[in-house]
Amino acid sequence: MRATIADVSNGSTFPPHRRLRGTVLMALAALVVVGFGGWLALRSSGGDGGEPARAGQPAPSPSRPAGDAPGDGESRGDGGARGGDRTTGPGGPGHGQAEPRPHSGLEGRTVVLDPGHNLRNRDHGRQIAQLVDIGNGRKECDTTGTATEDGYAEASFTLDVARRARALLERQGVKVVLTHDDDRPYGPCVDERAAIGNRAHADAAVSIHADGSGIGDRGFHVILPARVTAGRADTSRIVGPSRQLGERLAGQFRAATGSAPSNYLGDGNGLDVRSDLGGLNLSGVPKVFLECGNMRDPKDAAQLTDAQWREKAARGITKGITDFLTL
Ligand SMILES: [Zn+2]
């Protein structure tokens, strides 16, 4: 490097014609610089100089590889959960502004994802124990949820899967609303979880959970709303479409994860019907619960704690929802 600088600075070592060529090259370079500056000035005077560049820019979220499994540290505490949001979500603070894929057919559709429980519920026992009206009775505002033997909380699992599914749905132009996103001291209560879907006029709502059953109880199941007409609850209009949503969700979840339907609940196809869940009773939009597996069973727990498996779960959920939306 030093020898090269010395060679260039010492012009006397070059014959005259090479010095001349150097001068010509420098003059040409100066012309190029001046010409480019003039071109820039012309473009900016046109007023829309920045538009083509912006249009040509790829949106940040669609470029994310599907196998990417960020946010794995989410379960290790609140700080990790926030960090996970920035990387798992489609473009962090800018999410929602990502350019949807053209012609997905899903632009303008709204999906509510409801991550079951809340990691902070355990610090707010009194608040979440308060009873709320679920139409045909009263029930706790919320519960802490379950956890694996090693302490991986259901609330961490549900939020992680919901964020992954949100990213996948938003890539297809779907508007996604989460009922909470590590942004509340506890809850929301089950009645509020339903209300969020209603207010959003969601085309579909899915409450994401993992079960806390006995060892040996394995597999996923989807909970469909029963027909309930009592007090504030009237599910008569959502029973049919919710079953359509649930059937597609079960099928695609099974295909994406390879998990079998529950061996301890439901009809063998992973479908169960319940009338005691406020989140379903109070929903005015098609809604189901998905119990992704049994956190208390070691084999299911090994899947639920695996970030790659959770990405598969999110893909299955996404496909089930989009199949329903394009019926
Ligand atoms: Zn749960």
Side-chain angles (χ1 to χ4, degrees), residues 306-319:
D306 175 5
Q308 288 187 334
W309 189 90
R310 292 198 297 273
E311 185 68 20
K312 290 180 190 172
R315 276 187 228 145
I317 291 167
T318 299
K319 190 72 168 65

Side-chain angles (χ1 to χ4, degrees), residues 116-117 143 145-146 154 158 208-211 291:
H117 316 282
T143 55
T146 186
E154 181 188 355
T158 62
I208 299 168
H209 289 257
D211 212 354
E291 298 278 359

Side-chain angles (χ1 to χ4, degrees), residues 141-219:
C141 153
D142 205 5
T143 55
T144 56
T146 186
T148 66
E149 184 68 19
D150 293 337
Y152 180 55
E154 181 188 355
S156 298
F157 169 83
T158 62
L159 186 57
D160 182 73
V161 172
R163 286 169 170 170
R164 291 172 189 274
R166 173 176 65 189
L168 295 170
L169 285 164
E170 285 184 337
R171 281 186 212 171
Q172 299 184 63
V174 175
K175 180 188 175 190
V176 180
V177 177
L178 259 57
T179 57
H180 67 102
D181 190 11
D182 194 28
D183 53 0
R184 298 177 63 112
Y186 65 91
C189 297
V190 292
D191 55 345
E192 176 63 11
R193 290 174 190 262
I196 290 169
N198 297 343
R199 284 199 297 269
H201 302 289
D203 296 295
V206 176
S207 191
I208 299 168
H209 289 257
D211 212 354
S213 191
I215 293 173
D217 289 347
R218 295 203 60 193

